[in-house]
Amino acid sequence: EAQVTQNPRYLITVTGKKLTVTCSQNMNHEYMSWYRQDPGLGLRQIYYSMNVEATDKGDVPEGYKVSRKEKRNFPLILESPSPNQTSLYFCASSFGGAIINEQFFGPGTRLTVL
Amino acid sequence: DQQVKQNSPSLSVQEGRISILNCDYTNSMFDYFLWYKKYPAEGPTFLISISSIKDKNEDGRFTVFLNKSAKHLSLHIVPSQPGDSAVYFCAAKGGNYQLIWGAGTKLIIKP
């Protein structure tokens, strides 16, 4: 089944404790992206990747890191999480490099930073 | 400053009637628009899109209308069904590799 998977689905952590949210897709998509969703703000892009070893900042990259060593995986790293990073996070992927191509989203990771 | 606005946080519609979800944008350079639908505990899924060279695009029960002069687009769902109850996001192509998203409208279809 074609899908985007994220782990963990739920995470409660404390300020400053490094964490990684994994994202994997099995559709051989070139483009992958991370978003955060906050009430009243819709989805805001954190980072995106056009292909392996090609990443770039989105609208809200501060406090986050990503890597794209393999085509299928695009982990999101929070080196020192803070309470303002409490949010719902989505990973997405799409075929080719055109942003207008349909994006396939993972189920989301709800992160709480205390 | 939000460039894509969905001013109605929620909308309630009777089953079988038309649902109209609205979206306004401020940047006249946006040239492509998309609607995504989101159920609870799931990621958004693509619904329908429209290029700025068109004013209408139809796919089954779903039609998107674009009014460039008013910087306004709308999604029409006819007839509305219970399975249409979800949050609907409008998004605009804000650059080569980015989408600018609205805050979403929660659609509730009443039986």
Side-chain angles (χ1 to χ4, degrees):
Chain A
E1 178 191 356
Q3 60 183 347
V4 178
T5 56
Q6 294 179 230
N7 282 293
R9 293 290 310 277
Y10 303 91
L11 179 60
I12 300 174
T13 189
V14 295
T15 298
K17 186 176 181 181
K18 180 179 178 180
L19 67 92
T20 299
V21 183
T22 64
C23 172
S24 183
Q25 51 92 6
N26 62 2
M27 296 168 279
N28 203 36
H29 285 167
E30 291 85 357
Y31 182 91
M32 296 187 75
S33 181
W34 276 103
Y35 295 91
R36 60 179 288 174
Q37 183 190 358
D38 300 292
L41 294 177
L43 278 75
R44 292 180 293 167
Q45 191 176 47
I46 303 170
Y47 269 93
Y48 64 91
S49 169
M50 294 300 299
N51 214 322
V52 175
E53 302 292 2
T55 63
D56 212 341
K57 296 177 181 179
D59 296 319
V60 288
E62 294 77 20
Y64 305 95
K65 285 174 57 176
V66 293
S67 68
R68 187 93 181 270
K69 293 184 170 57
E70 306 165 277
K71 198 171 188 180
R72 63 183 293 126
N73 296 323
F74 191 44
L76 179 70
I77 302 155
L78 284 72
E79 294 271 2
S80 182
S82 62
N84 65 12
Q85 292 178 298
T86 292
S87 188
L88 179 59
Y89 291 86
F90 290 102
C91 180
S93 72
S94 66
F95 174 73
I99 192 62
I100 62 175
N101 292 345
E102 176 184 356
Q103 291 190 63
F104 294 82
F105 283 80
T109 294
R110 186 165 291 282
L111 173 65
T112 301
V113 183
L114 302 174
Chain B
D1 181 35
Q2 286 190 294
Q3 297 186 68
V4 176
K5 295 182 181 178
Q6 294 177 256
N7 292 317
S8 298
S10 65
L11 175 67
S12 186
V13 174
Q14 202 74 34
E15 181 180 356
R17 299 288 185 96
I18 183 171
S19 295
I20 300 176
L21 295 99
N22 294 306
C23 179
D24 296 296
Y25 61 96
T26 57
N27 191 336
S28 57
M29 298 300 290
F30 289 157
D31 61 0
Y32 205 89
F33 303 88
L34 305 93
W35 286 92
Y36 278 77
K37 174 180 177 179
K38 183 184 179 303
Y39 292 118
E42 295 182 12
T45 55
F46 172 76
L47 191 56
I48 193 169
S49 62
I50 188 167
S51 165
S52 62
I53 62 173
K54 295 186 174 182
D55 53 19
K56 176 183 173 181
N57 188 26
E58 195 170 351
D59 184 1
R61 296 186 298 114
F62 302 92
T63 303
V64 57
F65 295 92
L66 176 61
N67 182 333
K68 288 188 292 293
S69 61
K71 296 192 184 70
H72 176 83
L73 63 156
S74 60
L75 174 68
H76 293 211
I77 306 173
V78 184
S80 300
Q81 298 175 354
D84 296 330
S85 293
V87 176
Y88 290 79
F89 291 99
C90 165
K93 177 171 166 278
N96 284 340
Y97 308 117
Q98 290 186 281
L99 290 178
I100 310 298
W101 295 73
T105 296
K106 183 176 183 178
L107 176 64
I108 301 164
I109 305 300
K110 299 179 293 185

